[in-house]
């Protein structure tokens, strides 16, 4: 139509008007589009959720993590994985999830699965990620999803302890062990099971469950079962068996393996863990426990976890769509390596502290050779410092004493996966303390 | 620029080109915009999550809930609130929530709150909704969030049972009681507390906790404590104390009140509940339990729940933005009223079944007078039918026998909040059975 009009000069005013209208439409559409694009930027709370209060809070959380002032406490007691925020921020809207109001109505996710509250998309993402990384077998395993691996750990104890035994089942783990084990196990004074402490001191003939955490929390060591009793059942907590923390030297195929999104991707607030379980009946009983204790697991969190795990796999499997710097495990491995270099350099400045050394192994996932670089440091105070937690607290560094882990107060566990600003300030303070000639407690 | 060009006739070809370019740009922008608009439609999985598999599944779930064939089982054993899907579908994108990849990293939601995993936006939404409905006091109460009210119920038992008593605390509830109480309480054979059954048969002087569920699950009755022991502590489960189910006749102000999103908004898969707790120390101990058993509660689910509760309040407080038919409690009240009319009509067709009657009271929220119209029917089989569950199962209606609720097998609990198609078919079958002259078991 434009062409036929152009042939006749008397239509000029109309063409002029057409052009003006067209440009005006251009501008209007462009503005509307810009508005849309802006909605999808990572920094604001994108899309239809435009609650300004929410936006302000979230942006503040991510953007304005200020370096702690020198007189402020740094809390490295918890393993809060805030280090990961930078990576996910960099990924922009690639992991953005949109949930409609009519989603998550039913209790059920998959009525055909024995684990009826397991979202099929999450199960697929878990399988896909393990197959990519090669850290655990999934073939012939049953997946059970839990509210973090904490709930799954309790589900495993429930499933493995006989309901009619005269005595509660003994639960043990080699010291230093995860400080929450005794608290969780004895919380309700269960008649089904009971915490019996350090596995290396357990030598009864009674049935027992040994918790094998590898790499270990708190000390990062690679673990195997230490009790060799005939009535032993093993539960493997593999929360840290990912290539940013340790070489993937074999594909784990234990009877029960626990994993959590918190330490794999850094999304601790999502509260999602999963168990790979060989025996169907055990998986069913674990499912029963989660049914009784919380009638399943948040669908919203499972959908988010699925999206996040899938994007990680995508960065490796659809490399044409992603920048090389977005390879998840490589990115986080480098950050952990850097933090460990900083830490070892600070500790080596004097005789105040010491750290464990880890053997170098080949990682089948990355092809690289390296030693474990755990999410926690298991720091020992040397010289006359007896209570390491107290000593560091005096210098405004909050850590968790070795006593909580069935070990000595000469040790502390320090989280290495906090915000960069916090970590840098921690390293600065530790370097100073390290290079003091005779630190006083 | 366009105007100065237009003055000179020799620039005609340029104007022609400009117009073509401009129209082309318009077309391009329009296409891109249409794509964006499409992303926000409720029916597809909107926004950046374009996983086609997910989309297909979700759309299917909501749109294509076919009426069960006459030879198919109808499962009304669980209280799966799928009835609510229609309302939330109708609300389109008003409750759509967008979650960015860098959200839910930290374990912590509010370090200044004793309940450190409570999202402030969720706490605000809970307070706002209670103030709107007038069903519970919130002033001077502490909010604790849980993975459904199921987890909060256990948290309350943990908080209220002394840790060093010689005998476990007795837990009772008047029959018929919620069938899950005994299962949850005795699941781990806790030394802290023990299920002692029907509260009306409890007459010991020992300390006890009485669970008061009102309106009651399974029978919908309005309840008060029945034991008058001096050592009694009450926990009120008010999951159904919302104006779609029962007249809001007073503002509850009990010591511990439990609520859940599942039965308020219908979002059972979200797994979010909350407790209103008067005593700060009790709230702290409940928080401790949730910290130990699941290290907090999904942030994603809390954010979604907050959004949903806020939209419900918006439909009443910002009426200028909403159609009258979107008033949440009014909409669901009408649906429940209709379902109860259908049910009573079916039952009245003969002598096979009977139902309880509920006293009519004034609802302070809606101003209307009505009798409780519970989420469950507590149906009695009359005549020679002894096992009501078995009788209905023969006719492909799955329900839960009264025996699970500490009552007789003459009764069954039937969920009334399933999909409309399922409910209609249930009513059709029940009408037939009801009008049979002498049904055989």
């Amino acid at each position: 139509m434009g062409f036929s009009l152009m042939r006749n000069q008397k239509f000029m005013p109309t063409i002029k008007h057409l052009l003006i209208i067209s440009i005006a439409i251009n501008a209007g559409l462009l503005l509307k589009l810009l508005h849309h694009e802006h909605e999808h930027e990572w920094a604001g709370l994108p899309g239809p959720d435009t609650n300004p209060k929410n936006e302000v809070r979230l942006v503040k959380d991510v953007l304005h993590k200020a370096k702690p002032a020198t007189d402020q406490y740094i809390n490295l007691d918890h393993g809060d994985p805030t280090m990961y925020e930078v990576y996910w921020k960099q990924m922009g809207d690639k992991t953005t999830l949109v949930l409609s109001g009519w989603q998550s109505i039913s209790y059920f996710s998959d009525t055909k699965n024995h684990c009826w509250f397991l979202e099929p998309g999450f199960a697929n993402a878990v399988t896909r990620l393990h197959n990519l990384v090669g850290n655990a077998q999934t073939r012939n395993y049953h997946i059970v999803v839990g509210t973090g691996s904490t709930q799954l750990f309790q589900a495993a104890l429930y499933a493995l302890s006989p309901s009619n035994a005269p005595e509660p089942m003994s639960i043990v783990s080699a010291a230093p062990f995860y400080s929450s084990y005794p608290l969780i196990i004895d919380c309700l004074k269960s008649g089904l099971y009971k915490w019996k402490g350090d596995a290396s001191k357990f030598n009864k003939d009674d049935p027992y469950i040994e918790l094998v955490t590898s790499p270990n929390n708190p000390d990062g060591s690679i673990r195997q079962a230490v009790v060799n009793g005939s009535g032993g059942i093993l539960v493997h907590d593999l929360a840290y068996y990912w290539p940013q923390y340790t070489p993937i030297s074999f594909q784990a195929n234990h009877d029960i393996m626990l994993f959590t999104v918190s330490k794999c991707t850094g999304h601790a607030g999502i509260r999602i863990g999963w168990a790979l379980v060989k025996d169907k009946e055990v998986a069913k009983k674990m499912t029963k426990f989660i049914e009784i204790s919380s009638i399943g697991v948040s669908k919203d969190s499972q959908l988010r976890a699925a999206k996040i795990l899938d994007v990680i796999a995508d960065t490796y499997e659809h490399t044409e769509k992603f920048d090389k710097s977005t390879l998840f495990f490589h990115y986080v491995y480098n950050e952990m390596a850097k933090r460990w270099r900083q830490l070892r350099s600070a500790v080596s400045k004097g005789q105040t502290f010491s750290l464990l050394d880890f053997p170098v192994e080949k990682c089948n996932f990355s092809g690289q050779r390296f030693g474990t670089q755990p999410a926690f440091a298991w720091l020992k105070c040397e010289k006359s410092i007896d209570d390491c937690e107290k000593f560091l607290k005096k210098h405004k560094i909050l850590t968790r004493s070795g006593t909580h882990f069935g070990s000595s107060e000469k040790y502390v566990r320090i989280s290495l996966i906090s915000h960069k600003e916090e970590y840098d300030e921690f390293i600065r303070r530790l370097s100073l303390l390290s290079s003091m000639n005779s630190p006083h407690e």
Side-chain angles (χ1 to χ4, degrees), chain A residues 108 191 207 385 399 406 423:
Chain A
F108 299 93
I385 307 167
T399 62
Y423 191 74

Side-chain angles (χ1 to χ4, degrees), chain A residues 189-204:
Chain A
K189 296 190 170 183
S190 173
L192 296 184
Y193 47 75
K194 198 173 166 47
W195 172 247
K196 288 290 176 69
D198 189 354
S200 59
K201 289 175 186 160
F202 184 83
N203 53 10
K204 286 187 185 166

Side-chain angles (χ1 to χ4, degrees), chain A residues 138-264:
Chain A
T138 54
R139 202 180 151 88
N140 298 326
Y141 275 84
H142 305 277
I143 299 176
V144 183
V145 64
T147 310
S149 58
T150 302
Q151 190 183 31
L152 288 162
F153 160 65
Q154 294 160 81
L157 298 188
Y158 169 81
L160 299 170
S161 303
S163 60
N164 51 4
E167 287 293 312
M169 179 75 115
S170 299
I171 318 291
V172 296
S173 188
F177 43 73
Y178 176 34
S179 53
S180 290
Y181 285 152
L183 298 177
I184 299 169
I185 294 164
D186 286 344
C187 167
L188 295 180
K189 296 190 170 183
S190 173
L192 296 184
Y193 47 75
K194 198 173 166 47
W195 172 247
K196 288 290 176 69
D198 189 354
S200 59
K201 289 175 186 160
F202 184 83
N203 53 10
K204 286 187 185 166
D205 285 332
D206 303 341
Y208 66 91
I209 297 171
E210 182 175 351
L211 309 169
V212 183
T213 311
S214 184
N216 191 39
N217 175 358
D219 69 357
S221 60
I222 301 302
R223 288 275 182 98
Q224 291 191 317
V226 301
V227 193
N228 274 322
S230 57
I233 308 176
L234 303 180
V235 175
H236 281 80
D237 183 343
L238 304 185
Y240 301 95
Y241 192 45
W242 294 102
Q244 66 266 50
Y245 302 123
T246 194
I248 303 302
S249 56
F250 70 104
Q251 195 178 33
N253 61 351
H254 311 294
D255 288 345
I256 301 180
M257 302 184 276
L258 307 182
F259 292 92
T260 169
V261 165
S262 310
K263 299 304 153 66
C264 170

Side-chain angles (χ1 to χ4, degrees), chain A residues 49-62:
Chain A
D49 187 1
T50 51
N51 177 348
K53 263 202 276 181
N54 238 354
E55 186 168 356
V56 168
R57 196 176 59 73
L58 292 166
V59 171
K60 203 182 71 182
D61 281 359
V62 172

Side-chain angles (χ1 to χ4, degrees), chain A residues 379-392:
Chain A
L379 190 81
K380 190 179 179 190
C381 278
E382 300 287 349
K383 300 184 193 167
S384 61
I385 307 167
D386 288 326
D387 188 334
C388 195
E389 179 188 293
K390 199 172 146 196
F391 172 71
L392 290 170

